[in-house]
């Protein structure tokens, strides 16, 4: 560190203009007690004065009234020259003196609550009024001029400010840190405003011209997908898994997050109580039932070998009965919208299981996937297509299924979506019994599903294929195993051959007209 970097700049004059007035009185009193002169805007100044602290109003400084409903308050050369003068330069100091402008050493600003106003459902005009103009201008000016000025955008730092003032001011590294935070603050603010414009005003809003997203680091993870990869978790402020409350267990790992995300995606695809058990982003079991304990038993029974060390997601609160079952099985993570009284304590008998509460269902309307040099944006697949409703399926061959059996096939279809392509899934009694995932041809996925189910469970099961059968061979594997019915999108140039194979085998086949690749 050079002498200049270590040298503190004393704070004698501060500009304070804050929307969020928490901690303001204590701050103003502390600054005043340390001999700092305060200059402030409208209601900030009023609150400071009410706390018994002398304060100069910005309009007294500028000689120009705050006007246009607050659209112009601090946008004045007397304010901005006072913030932007590089006090290391003799020439800037001389110019300020000539202009009769006094410099600011400290700028404390926080902005109009634009995002909160949008979230409240306010009208476009009300939202526009909450686009702060003067605030970001001061923040950016002060942050640019961090060699001379300290800028504070977060009331959580007021204690640190008072301490620094008492200690002779901030050193350069402290001012730089505050400046970086200030630019992050205004950047995130501008992204929110820019994104809102696209949503509200652009005609092709689904695929905006500009894709802006800002994240703040929540925590650094031990490592990434592999131990030689560094990793950290970032949040976008919308809640969800990234901000789930951890009620017990070891720190979440990178792979825990990706598997938990996949598990929640699978569990929330069903409206009945559902449990999904995931390993390496693929299901080792998904089941729906009258209650979560039964759903868990059935999901676990699908593939108990693979469920060892799995990640469990539930779309309902975890009951005590379910917690007792889970506590018997080595489980990496369990995530649910809530837990019955006593359930967490039961789960916590195992030291390492990570117990998460995440009240909201997954809700991202779009998915962004990075690719080299850019990103792909797509509308999230939420089983929202017409073909996801059995009422819209086409009977390709065989006897139409009675309602209860059609529901079995519909469960298989919905569950199949959670399986990495190529996906073949066998289900019985509202539970998966055999899952074939991630193969580069559909025949192998079918073989895997049948092999995992075993002869007995495969016979009479209901099968789903995430995409059409390009040839009859994949279907024939299922027919030989004795499946009762198959649902698949249809649409292959060889559909006729596939349907003919089903007809010959006496297997009912439905077409959905909808595909659910998942990569
Ligand atoms: N227009 C301006 O010149 C201006 N200067 C500061 N502000 C904002 O006004 C707020 C503080 O105003 P008040 O002290 O009246 O509560 C702050 O959030 C600050 O960011 C302004 N408001 C909006 O742009």
């Amino acid at each position: 560190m050079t002498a200049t970097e270590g040298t503190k700049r004393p704070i004698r004059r501060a500009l304070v203009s804050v929307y969020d007035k928490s901690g303001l009185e204590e701050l103003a009193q502390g600054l005043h007690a340390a001999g700092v002169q305060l200059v402030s805007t409208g209601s900030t100044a009023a609150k400071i004065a009410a706390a018994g602290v002398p304060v100069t109003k910005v309009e007294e400084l500028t000689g120009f009234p705050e006007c246009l409903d607050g659209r112009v308050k601090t946008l004045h050369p007397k304010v901005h020259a006072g913030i932007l003068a590089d006090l290391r330069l003799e020439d800037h100091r001389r110019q300020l003196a000539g202009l009769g402008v006094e410099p600011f050493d400290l700028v404390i600003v926080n902005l109009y609550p634009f995002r909160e106003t949008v979230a409240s459902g306010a009208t476009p005009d009300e939202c526009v009024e909450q686009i702060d103009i003067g605030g970001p201008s001061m923040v950016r000016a002060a942050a640019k001029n961090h060699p001379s000025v300290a800028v504070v955008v977060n009331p959580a730092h007021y204690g640190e400010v008072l301490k620094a003032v008492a200690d002779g001011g901030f050193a350069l590294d402290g001012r730089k840190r505050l400046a970086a935070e200030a630019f992050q603050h205004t950047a995130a603010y501008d992204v929110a405003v820019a994104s809102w414009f696209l949503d509200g005003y652009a005609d092709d809003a689904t695929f905006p011209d500009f894709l802006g997203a800002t994240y703040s680091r929540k925590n650094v993870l031990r490592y990434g997908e592999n131990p030689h990869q560094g990793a950290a978790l970032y949040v976008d402020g919308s809640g969800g898994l990234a901000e789930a409350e951890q009620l017990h267990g070891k720190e979440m790992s990178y792979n825990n997050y990706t598997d938990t995300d996949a598990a929640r995606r699978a569990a929330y695809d069903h409206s009945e109580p559902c449990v999904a058990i995931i390993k390496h982003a693929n299901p080792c079991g998904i089941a729906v039932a009258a209650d979560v304990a039964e759903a868990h038993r059935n999901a676990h029974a699908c593939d108990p070998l693979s469920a060892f060390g799995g990640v469990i997601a539930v779309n309902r609160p975890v009951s005590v009965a379910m917690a007792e079952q889970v506590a018997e099985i080595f489980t990496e993570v369990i995530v649910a919208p809530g837990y019955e009284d006593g359930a967490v304590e039961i789960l916590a008998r195992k030291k390492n299981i990570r117990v998460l509460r995440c009240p909201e269902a997954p809700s991202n309307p779009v998915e962004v996937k990075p690719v080299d040099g850019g990103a792909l944006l797509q509308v999230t697949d939420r089983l929202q297509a017409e073909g996801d409703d059995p009422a819209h399926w086409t009977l390709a061959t065989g006897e139409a299924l009675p309602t209860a059996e059609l529901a079995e096939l519909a469960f298989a279809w919905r569950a199949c979506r959670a399986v990495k392509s190529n996906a073949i899934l066998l289900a019985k009694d509202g539970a998966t019994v055999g899952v074939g995932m991630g193969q580069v041809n559909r025949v192998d996925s079918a073989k895997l599903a049948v092999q995992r189910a075993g002869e007995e469970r495969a016979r009479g099961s209901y099968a789903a294929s995430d995409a059409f059968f390009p040839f009859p061979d994949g279907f024939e594997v299922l027919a030989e195993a004795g499946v009762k019915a198959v649902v698949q999108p249809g649409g292959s140039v060889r559909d006729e051959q596939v349907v003919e194979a089903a007809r010959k085998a006496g297997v009912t086949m439905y077409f959905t007209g909808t595909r659910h690749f998942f990569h």
Side-chain angles (χ1 to χ4, degrees):
M1 192 177 13
T2 65
T4 328
E5 279 172 345
T7 311
K8 293 179 176 173
R9 282 215 67 252
I11 292 168
R12 302 191 184 92
R13 195 160 178 262
L15 176 58
V16 187
S17 177
V18 289
Y19 179 86
D20 175 359
K21 295 185 173 56
S22 48
L24 178 62
E25 290 176 6
E26 298 78 359
L27 173 77
Q29 282 160 348
L31 290 174
H32 175 59
V36 179
Q37 278 177 42
L38 298 182
V39 176
S40 185
T41 46
S43 58
T44 309
K47 189 148 188 187
I48 292 173
V53 174
V55 58
T56 304
K57 285 188 187 173
V58 162
E59 13 187 44
E60 292 167 34
L61 179 82
T62 59
F64 199 90
E66 290 190 10
C67 62
L68 309 178
D69 300 320
R71 284 185 172 205
V72 177
K73 304 186 206 178
T74 53
L75 296 164
H76 193 283
K78 282 207 167 165
V79 173
H80 282 270
I83 299 174
L84 278 163
D86 184 343
L87 300 176
R88 295 171 302 181
L89 306 178
E90 164 64 30
D91 183 41
H92 280 204
R93 294 200 298 272
R94 198 171 30 76
Q95 285 190 51
L96 276 197
L99 292 164
V101 171
E102 274 187 73
F104 291 107
D105 311 299
L106 175 66
V107 171
I108 297 182
V109 173
N110 61 61
L111 310 179
Y112 288 171
F114 176 77
R115 261 178 292 217
E116 293 78 358
T117 307
V118 171
S120 75
T123 64
D125 275 350
E126 287 165 342
C127 294
V128 164
E129 221 41 62
Q130 293 302 318
I131 299 175
D132 201 323
I133 301 298
S137 307
M138 290 187 286
V139 169
R140 287 169 53 80
K144 169 175 173 160
N145 200 25
H146 61 270
S148 299
V149 182
V151 57
V152 175
V153 293
N154 185 346
H157 295 327
Y158 290 171
E160 188 192 335
V161 170
L162 292 178
K163 196 165 168 296
V165 169
D167 285 353
F170 286 97
L172 180 61
D173 60 348
R175 294 195 300 277
K176 259 189 190 166
R177 186 175 38 81
L178 291 167
E181 186 177 339
F183 275 119
Q184 286 159 22
H185 189 60
T186 54
Y189 195 83
D190 273 350
V191 166
V193 174
S195 305
W196 175 78
F197 267 95
L198 289 166
D199 220 26
Y201 290 134
D203 288 331
D204 51 356
T206 316
F207 300 106
D209 291 345
F210 162 82
L211 184 59
T214 53
Y215 299 90
S216 351
R217 196 181 71 203
K218 189 172 178 220
N219 52 289
V220 174
L221 303 172
R222 277 184 65 210
Y223 50 79
E225 204 161 354
N226 299 293
H228 57 272
Q229 295 171 268
L233 173 70
Y234 287 78
V235 296
D236 64 9
S238 66
L241 173 61
E243 300 211 52
E245 185 187 359
Q246 185 162 355
L247 306 172
H248 173 76
K250 285 201 299 199
E251 187 190 319
M252 290 281 285
S253 72
Y254 181 97
N255 292 325
N256 289 155
Y257 275 110
T258 54
D259 280 349
T260 307
D261 206 37
R264 273 165 46 80
R265 182 182 189 273
Y268 280 93
D269 272 347
H270 303 268
S271 51
E272 309 95 319
C274 179
V275 172
I277 308 172
I278 297 288
K279 280 266 287 287
H280 295 278
N282 269 304
C284 4
I286 303 174
V288 295
D291 63 72
V292 291
E294 188 187 345
H296 173 251
R297 279 195 300 279
N298 296 346
H300 185 78
C302 173
D303 186 354
L305 183 71
S306 305
F308 183 82
V311 166
I312 299 177
V314 196
N315 67 352
R316 297 282 199 289
V318 172
S319 63
V320 165
M322 178 180 167
E324 291 283 6
Q325 290 166 193
V326 173
E328 296 299 308
I329 303 157
F330 169 49
T331 298
E332 283 271 328
V333 181
I334 180 165
V335 61
Y339 294 83
E340 264 182 29
D341 284 351
V344 173
E345 290 70 17
I346 294 165
L347 292 165
R349 281 188 215 141
K350 285 262 160 66
K351 197 169 92 204
N352 289 339
I353 185 173
R354 298 149 180 96
V355 179
L356 301 187
R357 173 168 35 223
C358 184
E360 318 96 7
S363 64
N364 280 349
V366 292
E367 293 170 341
V368 182
K369 192 173 203 155
V371 291
D372 189 29
L376 295 166
L377 172 70
Q378 69 170 348
V379 173
T380 301
D381 183 13
R382 289 216 182 285
L383 290 160
Q384 69 273 53
E386 207 171 61
D388 294 321
D389 177 356
H392 292 279
W393 291 356
T394 309
L395 183 62
T397 182
E399 293 275 319
L401 295 181
T403 311
E405 292 191 40
L406 194 60
E408 291 272 30
L409 198 60
F411 167 79
W413 177 248
R414 298 180 81 80
C416 190
R417 193 193 79 99
V419 182
K420 296 276 181 174
S421 301
N422 291 317
I424 298 284
L425 181 144
L426 307 184
K428 235 182 202 174
D429 301 324
T432 60
V433 293
V435 185
M437 70 281 280
Q439 303 303 301
V440 287
N441 69 70
R442 207 156 284 278
V443 186
D444 283 348
S445 292
K447 285 182 184 164
L448 196 56
V450 168
Q451 181 210 319
R452 286 239 166 89
E455 248 177 63
E456 201 181 311
R457 291 194 301 177
R459 196 170 313 109
S461 67
Y462 298 85
S465 172
D466 66 339
F468 62 60
F469 291 95
F471 299 94
D473 50 4
F475 164 77
E476 282 161 0
V477 171
L478 302 179
E480 272 164 36
V483 302
K484 191 149 196 191
V486 174
V487 60
Q488 59 128 329
S492 158
V493 287
R494 295 183 196 83
D495 268 357
E496 265 184 40
Q497 294 175 32
V498 176
V499 170
E500 178 55 19
R503 194 193 59 73
K504 273 198 193 143
V507 173
T508 292
M509 180 174 280
Y510 282 93
F511 284 172
T512 63
T514 296
R515 186 183 78 186
H516 285 295
F517 273 165
F518 178 35
H519 297 120

